[in-house]
Amino acid sequence: QFVEKVNGKGVEAFNKGDLDLARKELSRVFELLHQNNIFLLYKDENALMEAQVLTYGNLSCVFRKAGDVDKGIKIVDYTIGLEEKLSQANHGQASISIISTYLNKAAMLSEAKRHYGAYQAIKNAMDRIQIAETVPDIDASQLSYLKYMRLIALNNLGEQLVHLEQMELAIREYEKALVIAKELKKGSFVRKLEEVLQKLKLSSDG
């Protein structure tokens, strides 16, 4: 309860643009989760890791917004490590939430001009999407969400390939994204992708 409540305060401050207060609130939780007697509060190790994932994920966003991308990347790497363990234990929604964490890492790496690292992080997200889609008891809403995440991942993959000057590969990924955008009836996304593809194909022909 306390962890979720203070995380909520941190997110609220973040959304209002008060990064100092957001960092202060989330740091309170961070310190709590690293106390030696934390297992008195969280007797289930998976529940503790889940609380850590929530807190570290929020902290990484604060550091990213504050311009400290390197620290954000370190925190998100640790978050991914925890989510990998939770996924292996089939705990909660970890096998799905890890997808957005990988995409968050990719965005940070891209901001740091580490485009090949961003490309790899997106590929990891796509691998996770494929795994999540094969879970036996997955429902229709989760499948729809995963399809949308695949759209985001393919679009982001195209962006990184452009940065890496792999234009033909970028076009291929953008075309895959366009198919999904049309299937999901994402009109603005469709228009954006069509414009990007038109520009890339014109530059490739030139």
Side-chain angles (χ1 to χ4, degrees):
Q1 288 278 340
F2 173 78
V3 169
E4 288 79 3
K5 184 178 179 180
V6 179
N7 262 283
K9 288 182 179 179
V11 170
E12 185 179 353
F14 177 82
N15 290 336
K16 290 179 178 177
D18 192 342
L19 297 182
D20 288 336
L21 180 58
R23 190 181 304 181
K24 180 181 176 182
E25 293 290 355
L26 293 169
S27 293
R28 286 171 62 198
V29 187
F30 184 89
E31 289 168 9
L32 170 68
L33 294 173
H34 282 80
Q35 289 180 5
N36 291 331
N37 61 350
I38 189 62
F39 286 103
L40 296 175
L41 183 61
Y42 288 98
K43 294 178 182 177
D44 177 5
E45 186 179 3
N46 287 339
L48 171 58
M49 286 194 288
E50 195 171 41
Q52 289 172 325
V53 165
L54 173 66
T55 304
Y56 300 160
N58 289 334
L59 261 177
S60 70
C61 291
V62 171
F63 282 113
R64 178 188 176 189
K65 188 74 172 179
D68 195 344
V69 178
D70 287 339
K71 186 168 285 187
I73 292 168
K74 286 180 182 177
I75 294 171
V76 87
D77 271 335
Y78 189 71
T79 306
I80 286 170
L82 293 172
E83 285 184 303
E84 292 283 6
K85 291 179 182 177
L86 289 170
S87 295
Q88 289 167 10
N90 293 317
H91 182 81
Q93 296 294 309
S95 61
I96 291 179
S97 66
I98 195 172
I99 296 163
S100 57
T101 309
Y102 269 121
L103 293 177
N104 186 31
K105 177 183 178 180
M108 292 186 193
L109 287 166
S110 183
E111 286 179 20
K113 310 297 183 188
R114 293 159 61 182
H115 298 296
Y116 184 71
Y119 170 85
Q120 290 292 342
I122 298 165
K123 294 291 282 186
N124 287 334
M126 294 188 71
D127 288 343
R128 281 292 169 180
I129 291 169
Q130 190 167 355
I131 291 169
E133 286 172 336
T134 62
V135 173
D137 58 348
I138 192 166
D139 61 38
S141 64
Q142 288 174 321
L143 279 171
S144 178
Y145 173 76
L146 289 172
K147 194 169 190 175
Y148 179 70
M149 294 307 288
R150 184 180 291 279
L151 167 60
I152 299 298
L154 287 166
N155 176 72
N156 294 356
L157 208 57
E159 289 177 357
Q160 296 313 312
L161 286 165
V162 169
H163 285 300
L164 294 167
E165 299 182 354
Q166 298 292 321
M167 300 308 176
E168 288 188 14
L169 292 176
I171 289 170
R172 193 182 308 168
E173 301 304 331
Y174 277 128
E175 285 177 336
K176 292 177 190 174
L178 181 58
V179 170
I180 297 175
K182 287 179 178 178
E183 288 174 358
L184 294 175
K185 296 181 171 59
K186 300 291 184 182
S188 59
F189 218 137
V190 168
R191 289 189 293 276
K192 175 195 166 190
L193 288 165
E194 286 176 340
E195 288 173 9
V196 170
L197 280 164
Q198 184 179 26
K199 289 177 183 177
L200 284 176
K201 288 176 180 178
L202 281 172
S203 63
S204 296
D205 292 341

